[in-house]
Amino acid sequence: MRIDGHQHFWKADRGDYHWMSPAVPVLCRDYLPTDLLPHLVKHDITRTILVQAAQTVAETDYLLALAAQNTFIAGVVGWLDMDSVNFPRQFELYRENPNFIGLRPMLQDIPDPAWIIRPQVLKSLQLVADADFPFEFLTYTRHLPYVLQALESVSSLRAVIDHVSKPEIKEHRLEPWKQLMAQAAQHANLYCKLSGMITEADHERWSVEDLRPYIEHAVDCFGWNRIIFGSDWPVCLLAGTYDQVIEALMEVLRSRMDATSEARLFG
């Protein structure tokens, strides 16, 4: 089974997408299951992981409803308020839904880069870890030192770093991202999504070679058992098509992969 480990749907008139703007028309419209299906069929992708794009419980409810209606959606990575004393009850309630399979605060959009190590958030994170429930870090390089602290505090957390932590690909900057990712990968329960990279490159002039050092470093650090393919569709449309996302990744990795490692990447 081939899986797209990171994609989004949204309905613009729901109104809770804080990032949505007419200034970015390619994203300022509805993206629904019927829009994605042709791409999945073309690339023999059987199922997807649907990830939240708004910091509201209403968004989580909306995505869970889509998952209930579309069998190709393997599960939803949703949002709940981890900085609330009410989180334990809310988490317990949502875990009753079998389509709720992951949790993601949008760390990249929170003004405090150390939010993840706030006492209340760490309590919630420990609860997530105790339940062996997957967690996703949506971060830039500047968040990684705090991610490392969180992983030290909650060592049993099973988590994934989205979009290889959004390094500064457009500027061709590797450090301190490279060193921090190597440190993060030492945590055996941490995974990495090879996703969201073309949108961190120059949207108009990116090349496969711009992506290569970041992809190769992530694979070297995490190994084939802990990397996950994600298209980041439709956000990827800012810089390229679904086809280009897969083609770029395959161009970098083809010489390093055999059938087993490719199955792990897409599985």
Side-chain angles (χ1 to χ4, degrees):
M1 182 183 296
R2 285 164 61 90
I3 297 170
D4 181 341
H6 196 108
Q7 55 88 194
H8 306 280
F9 294 129
W10 56 71
K11 205 167 186 303
D13 64 6
R14 288 191 51 254
D16 56 357
Y17 306 106
H18 64 280
W19 46 265
M20 191 173 285
S21 166
V24 189
V26 70
L27 299 185
C28 196
R29 48 150 285 193
D30 294 353
Y31 285 96
L32 299 169
T34 52
D35 300 308
L36 178 61
L37 275 169
H39 303 296
L40 302 183
V41 171
K42 180 176 180 179
H43 294 282
D44 193 28
I45 292 173
T46 311
R47 307 197 78 188
T48 71
I49 304 298
L50 178 57
V51 181
Q52 59 81 226
Q55 300 180 89
T56 65
V57 174
E59 163 81 339
T60 303
D61 291 338
Y62 173 66
L63 299 184
L64 288 170
L66 287 178
Q69 298 159 9
N70 296 274
T71 57
F72 74 84
I73 300 174
V76 167
V77 176
W79 181 94
L80 300 175
D81 188 355
M82 296 184 68
D83 202 15
S84 168
V85 294
N86 296 321
F87 175 79
R89 175 64 189 131
Q90 194 176 51
F91 181 52
E92 181 183 3
L93 176 66
Y94 275 83
R95 283 180 60 214
E96 293 175 1
N97 188 321
N99 287 321
F100 184 60
I101 64 164
L103 186 64
R104 183 176 89 152
M106 298 175 79
L107 300 183
Q108 69 170 23
D109 295 330
I110 297 173
D112 178 9
W115 181 90
I116 194 65
I117 58 170
R118 289 183 180 180
Q120 187 63 52
V121 177
L122 281 177
K123 285 183 181 179
S124 297
L125 205 59
Q126 186 64 62
L127 194 66
V128 172
D130 291 343
D132 193 29
F133 193 79
F135 181 83
E136 301 207 358
F137 290 104
L138 175 61
T139 54
Y140 291 110
T141 300
R142 66 177 179 269
H143 297 95
L144 287 174
Y146 305 106
V147 169
L148 290 171
Q149 289 182 50
L151 291 170
E152 290 294 333
S153 296
V154 188
S155 59
S156 58
L157 183 69
R158 184 157 57 101
V160 59
I161 292 181
D162 289 349
H163 313 326
V164 297
S165 196
K166 293 196 164 189
E168 294 157 302
I169 299 174
K170 184 177 180 180
E171 292 76 23
H172 306 285
R173 188 173 295 132
L174 279 166
E175 296 294 357
W177 171 85
K178 187 174 182 179
Q179 179 183 353
L180 290 166
M181 286 291 281
Q183 289 178 253
Q186 293 175 20
H187 293 269
N189 292 331
L190 185 67
Y191 296 68
C192 182
K193 287 188 185 179
L194 298 183
S195 59
M197 287 175 283
I198 65 171
T199 48
E200 299 308 309
D202 187 311
H203 289 183
E204 303 298 327
R205 292 180 292 275
W206 67 271
S207 72
V208 171
E209 293 310 305
D210 294 335
L211 310 181
R212 182 181 297 276
Y214 303 93
I215 296 170
E216 291 183 340
H217 184 61
V219 174
D220 288 343
C221 288
F222 286 89
W224 293 107
N225 287 330
R226 291 193 289 144
I227 56 170
I228 299 167
F229 162 73
S231 68
D232 199 27
W233 182 94
V235 179
C236 67
L237 299 177
L238 289 166
T241 64
Y242 199 102
D243 292 349
Q244 287 175 299
V245 169
I246 290 186
E247 288 162 4
L249 189 61
M250 292 300 291
E251 185 171 337
V252 172
L253 293 180
R254 189 173 286 113
S255 64
R256 300 166 60 121
M257 283 195 306
D258 57 19
T260 301
S261 52
E262 183 175 350
R264 286 172 177 162
L265 171 65
F266 286 97

